[in-house]
Amino acid sequence: MKTIDVQTGRPYKIYIDRGIMNMAGSYIREVSDAIRAVIVSDSNVAPFYADRVAASLREYGFETSLFVFEAGEERKRLSVIEKMYEHFYEHNITRTDIVVALGGGVTGDMTGFAAATYLRGIDFVQIPTTLLSQVDSSVGGKTGVDLPSGKNLVGAFWQPVTVLIDPETLSTLPKKYMNDGMGEIIKYGCIKSPSLFEKLEKENAFDIIDDIIYECVCIKRDVVVNDERDRGERAILNFGHTFGHAIEKLGGYSSVSHGEAVALGSLLITGITENKGITEEGTTDRILSLLKKYDMPYKSEYTIHQILEATRGDKKSSGKGLNFIFLREIGTCFINRISFDKFVEFFG
Ligand code: MG
């Protein structure tokens, strides 16, 4: 069992352990006096895990109910949130009750948002079941939904009261979902940890995935506690993301997963900065080798011009430019702002 303390405005603990899901009730009871607990999950995850989480919650005195929505990023909408609120209302959820997000990033983001806003805020727990949500989205308190005009445009910062990570859930995940997480794992090595990056190079990450998750969560925790509201340093977590978002958008959010797009974006931006002498020579090759090693996509089907065009709509654009994260070398990065009128000059 590994425990990580997160000293945000509302401090909480993250636990990583195989089988922890079966003891969810015990961990949640430690942080909650709630009478009722709502488990929120999607149609892919609920059949596997909802019963055992509910059983454990009941063992610790919670009255449980289950809200299931149809799986898919296209469900990350206010219409589903409204149904969630109705479920809360019908099940007499009060301000002292608790909501449990059981699933991947979409489930965590939506449940967190519903919890942040229902009765002006009730407690929630994250039980992430995908690699991406375990290393990334369940940590840091960003919650929200998509609008027809763009992803994550509506949301709130709302920290969970605890996060329970059970790496056992990864054993049944399809390859594409593992890639989704691996893109973000490689990112953590790139921005903050040469030793994590070397570990990914030398060993098979999937043989030591519990340790890898732990290291990634620690890195994210460190960044988030310094900048909970995403006004400064937290931007480094967006390494590879500006081009990544563009690649996802160009692919209609279906051909490449988020993590795959981030990996492609990391490779692309580092290729450019290495060429300009900003990044240590050989860095791009190291990233490329990792992508090949983990059977990730490493060729984007779009030209740099298509990608640059698509980045202009990025929600992280403020005013007349965008913040890019550049590597000095593996493990060291910095934020660099480029105005739109310098785009062509810089990226060629
Ligand atoms: Mg990401």
Side-chain angles (χ1 to χ4, degrees):
M1 151 89 78
K2 292 185 164 70
T3 309
I4 299 163
D5 282 300
V6 187
Q7 297 296 329
T8 38
R10 299 201 319 173
Y12 61 100
K13 282 186 189 342
I14 299 169
Y15 300 95
I16 305 171
D17 201 12
R18 292 192 173 248
I20 196 169
M21 195 188 279
N22 303 322
M23 297 176 293
S26 143
Y27 289 91
I28 296 170
R29 190 43 95 198
E30 271 177 38
V31 291
S32 171
D33 296 325
I35 295 168
R36 296 173 199 84
V38 182
I39 299 166
V40 176
S41 198
D42 72 21
S43 53
N44 287 342
V45 174
F48 285 96
Y49 303 120
D51 279 352
R52 66 174 87 167
V53 172
S56 177
L57 283 164
R58 282 194 296 270
E59 202 184 314
Y60 285 85
F62 294 94
E63 286 170 24
T64 64
S65 68
L66 175 64
F67 177 86
V68 180
F69 63 94
E70 208 180 313
E73 174 79 31
E74 68 280 8
R75 306 287 158 189
K76 202 172 147 184
R77 288 298 174 84
L78 287 166
S79 54
V80 176
I81 297 288
E82 191 171 354
K83 293 206 173 77
M84 231 182 266
Y85 294 148
E86 281 165 8
H87 177 102
F88 296 169
Y89 183 80
E90 280 160 15
H91 289 81
N92 301 313
I93 296 305
T94 67
R95 225 181 232 169
T96 52
D97 288 325
I98 196 157
V99 185
V100 179
L102 174 65
V106 170
T107 303
D109 285 7
M110 280 211 292
T111 309
F113 182 67
T117 46
Y118 191 70
L119 303 178
R120 299 195 178 84
I122 57 179
D123 286 351
F124 89 114
V125 172
Q126 290 268 25
I127 306 183
T129 58
T130 61
L131 186 56
L132 178 77
S133 57
Q134 293 184 351
V135 297
D136 186 15
S137 59
S138 69
V139 182
K142 280 193 182 176
T143 72
V145 292
D146 300 337
L147 292 181
S149 14
K151 287 180 70 170
N152 296 318
L153 288 176
V154 174
F157 289 98
W158 192 245
Q159 299 294 343
V161 290
T162 191
V163 181
L164 308 178
I165 297 177
D166 189 340
E168 206 79 72
T169 58
L170 305 178
S171 56
T172 54
L173 274 190
K175 170 83 176 117
K176 189 142 182 114
Y177 284 91
M178 294 307 267
N179 280 357
D180 205 13
M182 192 48 74
E184 298 282 359
I185 290 172
I186 293 169
K187 174 197 82 177
Y188 287 119
C190 287
I191 60 170
K192 275 280 182 188
S193 178
S195 66
L196 172 62
F197 198 93
E198 279 162 29
K199 215 179 262 182
L200 298 173
E201 289 176 320
K202 285 184 189 139
E203 305 194 44
N204 180 350
F206 299 112
D207 294 341
I208 48 165
I209 197 69
D210 301 28
D211 292 336
I212 300 284
I213 293 168
Y214 175 75
E215 284 190 45
C216 292
V217 172
C218 286
I219 294 170
K220 180 146 186 190
R221 182 268 318 266
D222 291 345
V223 174
V224 165
V225 296
N226 285 332
D227 180 20
E228 197 176 337
R229 292 266 158 171
D230 199 8
R231 303 275 191 250
E233 189 201 341
R234 193 161 174 168
I236 68 170
L237 296 171
N238 277 322
F239 173 63
H241 278 61
T242 302
F243 286 167
H245 287 149
I247 292 166
E248 278 185 281
K249 191 164 151 191
L250 290 166
Y253 297 101
S254 56
S255 57
V256 273
S257 72
H258 175 70
E260 288 173 336
V262 167
L264 285 167
S266 307
L267 184 69
L268 197 60
I269 191 74
T270 306
I272 291 166
T273 54
E274 185 176 325
N275 255 332
K276 290 181 177 294
I278 297 167
T279 306
E280 185 184 55
E281 218 172 297
T283 307
T284 314
D285 271 345
R286 286 181 73 190
I287 297 174
L288 178 62
S289 302
L290 265 196
L291 298 188
K292 288 180 176 168
K293 175 177 173 178
Y294 290 104
D295 202 17
M296 305 271 294
Y298 52 87
K299 277 188 194 131
S300 153
E301 43 185 309
Y302 309 106
T303 65
I304 184 72
H305 295 286
Q306 287 175 298
I307 291 170
L308 285 175
E309 205 41 55
T311 59
R312 284 173 192 266
D314 194 294
K315 113 186 124 127
K316 299 274 157 51
S317 68
S318 50
K320 293 194 169 89
L322 271 175
N323 285 331
F324 283 85
I325 313 306
F326 294 164
L327 299 184
R328 285 262 178 249
E329 58 192 346
I330 294 295
T332 313
C333 65
F334 64 101
I335 303 168
N336 193 289
R337 188 166 181 80
I338 302 175
S339 62
F340 287 128
D341 49 0
K342 294 273 162 58
F343 253 44
V344 177
E345 187 188 317
F346 190 88
F347 294 109

